[in-house]
Amino acid sequence: MNDLKTIMSGRKKHRSPVKCAVFQAMQSVDIDSLSECSESDIRPVLVSLVRMALCSPLETSDSWTKARKDVLKILSGLDVVNSIVALLSIDFHALEQDVKKEQQLRAKLGGNQGDSVLVSQLHHGLALEFERSDAPRRIRLLLSELLYIMSEIKEQSKGGNYQKQSELFESEVYLEEVCDVLCIAQAELPNLLPMTELAEALLCVKNGAWLLCQLVSNSPQCFMTVCSSLVSRGERVDEETLGGRQRLEMLRMLCTINPKEALNVRRMCIQHCTMPGLAIALTLQVAEVSHSEEELVSFVSCLLLGNDQAVRLWFSQFIKAGQKRKREPSGCMLYTLRQQLLDQVTSIVPATRGDKMAESGVIQASMLIRLYCALRGMATLKYSDEEMVALLDLVTARPPPSKAGAHFISLGLCTLIACPYLLGSLDQEQQVIDWIKWLMTNESIFEKEAASGTSFGEMLFLIALHFHNNQIHAIADLVCKTLGMKSAVKANALSRMRQIFTQELFTEQVIASHAVKIPVTPNLNATMSGYLPLHSICQLLKSRVFSKHKVAIKDWIYKQILHSSLPLHPLLPQLIETYVNSIIVKGAKTEHTNEPLTEQEILAVYRDSVTHKQSAKQRQQSPSDIRQDNLSPQLLVLYYVLLYEDTLMNHMKTIVLLKSPIKSYSDTIMSKIPINYLIQAALKEQQMYAGLFAPLTRLLVTQYPHLCLVEDWLEESLTTQQQQQMNKSKVVHSFSPSTYQEALSELQSSPTKVIAHLEHLLSLPSLELMPYNDVLISSLPTLLLEGTPRRVLDLAKKNWFKAHAVSPRSIRLMTVNALRAKTHGVFQVMPHTEQDIVVDPLIVLRCDCRVFRNPSILEIVLRILSAYTQACQVYLTNHIQTHPILDNNLHAEHERQDLKIALSAAQESAIIQILLECCHVDKEETPTGQLSDLREVQCLIFSHLHQVFIADPNLAKLVHFQGYASELIPLLVAGVPSMHICLDFIPELLGQPQTEKQVFSIKLLSHLCCQYSLPKSLSVAKLGINVMFTMLTVLESEMRVLFFQETVPCLFNICKAFPPLCDDVTSLLTQIGRVCFSQLTTTNSEVASGKCLMMSYLTQIRRVCFSQLTTTNSVVASDFSLLPGEDGHLDMPEPTCKRQRVGVVSSYSQLYNTVQQTFQQLASQAVVTNSIF
């Protein structure tokens, strides 16, 4: 018995899975390699070799025949081969039939293991029966046991943890014989004994993994199939159950005999999200074989930091389950993983604290830091004391100066924030403090050696800033972004870390003093990632650190603006906004403010602007070759100036109260900045100026609306498209400002030269047109001469607008001075300044009178007038804000606002009245046709008035209350589409006490009714008729005649627009006629003789025209007369009264005739249909 135990223990000691070389030789059928193996090495694959040698092959080539002979040589001399040959000699056909019957028997529920077709009643134990049996019975015994196990597995109640106590598989003495039988049975009955089912059955018995390796070695083509089946049926956490652990060991043993497929098996684990312990075990195996320490770290990092949420959750569950396991942790793969990682950390950390880390270990150290942060933050791994000490030593290691070293330090800083409990003692806190001080000392060295756009120094200062401002969420965002993962940062856990940063390392004064010494970022743009000096400066400005400690930051900001490029960094506009607020708005804790940019610094940015200076070489280049320079600094400085002025105006009252020395920039600054050119350039590339274009446009519209006219922006886009088309066909000639001046002197005799010059200028880019600005503007008075071709005027106008698009302010001022009226005086007239015109826009209209009959030049003047009118509005508003009332007197403030509105209304109404006077036809003018200059001038003015009325309807009301020539009413109503707004205030105008305004309102009403036949017009018309009824009774005799002499003819237009009012108008005309008769009767007795005749005619007319008629659509004759007479007029006798009554008689006679004519017009146009007109 002792000898048997010794033999068993010896066999157990030497029992091992198939060697890798043997498996590879079997997989590739390398007979030569097999022949070199020892007898013990080839023992597991003898079954396959015997079948190769004895079974008839399908291949009959000479090479295979020779290989079979080599196999026979290998088998010769091996005693065990005889037993294998005996196993191959049985009747497998009969055995197959019995196996099928056995399977059917096992499929029945409630079957007993003793009921078997393959084996009769056993008298002894299974192992003893196996020993005493011959080959056929041995194979039947094994198959009976396996089929029973397979049937038990199929039952749902058994699950993956089913274990079978089998004496046959547990006996070490018979394992090799059992393996031989199993391999032959599977090879001869592959359909009844599939490899995947056998693998699941062997999982349930002892030594099943070893048997499966032997089985797969004899059928190497089934390796991946078996592995795939085992992995897919595995558990999500494989070490929690006995079956899971056995499956893990089985797959590990399989990958040991075929290590080449270990990575593929690991891939299957990830794909199915099963058996994470196996994935770790295989990774360790691969790392051991390849001697790669990075393999484990890279693999686990990919699982936790990858994009697959399911894989991340699966592996996190494995980590959590491994920490909760109550049994000995050293037996689980999580413990092995942690030990391996700890060993790597220990190997990287220098032996002596303070020594530099090896260059080769920096990248691996960075990977380990990220992995430990991921294990803690995403898988909730709790570090052991040993791990915490090692990790802190790793974080505070001192890498060599390099880009990788700077990145390692950034990760270390974030790790200290993400894992603050690493600082468990005072010594560890001091260790961290010493390390951060070392960082501060060596920051410049790292920046010089790393030569990268980012610096850990900026992150260090940014963390300190956030701690000072108690912005834990900002620190959390910084940590997560740097580590590349989500990490929970709790404020209560960072109390000690905050104290270290704010009190021991980085006081506010230290931060401010150091920040201004940080070099600006060259070519700063939006493509740069990481944390730049810009982030730190922005945060410091927001917290008023520079103001509090009186540290000058102006120079740094100015340099960074100059070193900006496209695409614009999104923080630059925020930097300027914060900087401007720190200049003007005082903080709650400090009275000191930052210094603004000087005017010299601002102008220096635009000194080399393309709008100020352009070399001849640039002008010779084609437009496509001229690349716009980087306009980022110019646009940023423009934004700074506009924002500064806007903020200054909003806080002017506080500034005046506190007597702060803050001053506004002079007007010279803004006049030298090419605002319009910069805005148009930014408009074409808005995506490059994201974050700046919108606020810049808002400020520009608020402060300089005359530079944001819609017409200018539309014309600029159209001019660009036309220019691109013209450049394709134009030929460049030798043109210059001097040649244009010479051609202009010959305009009357030879206008073709001027036309050629102007067409050439029109084909040039806008910037290349700037040298011609002076000569173009100075030539405008010459173009006012009579006989100037219209082609010349139109081309000059187009060129003016093209030049105006680049520098509108200077072009407008030059044009106003060039077109001003010539005065013949002794004293020299000084040219107007822009301030003069802004204060008094009427200066624009004090120009040469010929302008108002020249449509092309007038269009230019109207554009200038519109711009300066808006500029005047802004000037008045800014003037009130600049001189605030300090005693909070609301009445005085309202009075100032009212005065401003009154002044503005007076200026604009005066402008409109002047323009309306220009629409009058002078006595000397004889307009011919509808295409005359006068008609075109009227259209331009009416279009301008339409825009003005739409922008401010109250201005239209003011102009009409002031009144204008009645001859212009029909022109205005027809030419200004917005005249319909007059219907809103005509009732108020009718209620004015001045008769002239009442007459004007009725005339305006009559034309509006014809132009806009609306229900609202009908109601206002009724009101007008009622007013006329009232005026007939309240006016004195002389005023009555004057009033109705002007208003009676308007009744025809009202009835023409609204026929239902004919009845009321007829009644009104009748009453007016009676009043005339009455007045004439009392004045001249001779008229009394015709009174009866007159009344009879009136009665007849009303009966004919306005009674119920049976005949429809009858038109009253056009020659119907109110009183007898061929011409339709009343034959009034010559007055014979006294001299003082002659005027009254004449006036009433004229009024009577007017009534007659108006009624005749009504009767000629009226259509009578049952009293419905």
Side-chain angles (χ1 to χ4, degrees), residues 93 207 241 264 285 319 334 416 431 488 608 746 888 943 1044:
H93 178 70
N207 298 316
T241 60
N264 288 329
Q285 177 182 331
I319 300 294
L334 178 60
L416 291 176
Q431 179 181 350
D608 299 328
E746 303 175 3
N888 293 326
S943 176
F1044 286 101

Side-chain angles (χ1 to χ4, degrees), residues 993-1013:
Q994 295 85 358
T995 308
E996 296 81 2
K997 293 184 179 181
Q998 295 171 343
V999 172
F1000 179 82
S1001 63
I1002 293 176
K1003 289 183 178 180
L1004 177 62
L1005 174 62
S1006 65
H1007 290 284
L1008 287 175
C1009 289
C1010 291
Q1011 187 73 19
Y1012 306 103
S1013 301

Side-chain angles (χ1 to χ4, degrees), residues 29-41:
V29 196
D30 188 356
I31 306 301
D32 296 335
S33 299
L34 290 174
S35 61
E36 296 177 358
C37 296
S38 63
E39 179 181 351
S40 59
D41 291 341

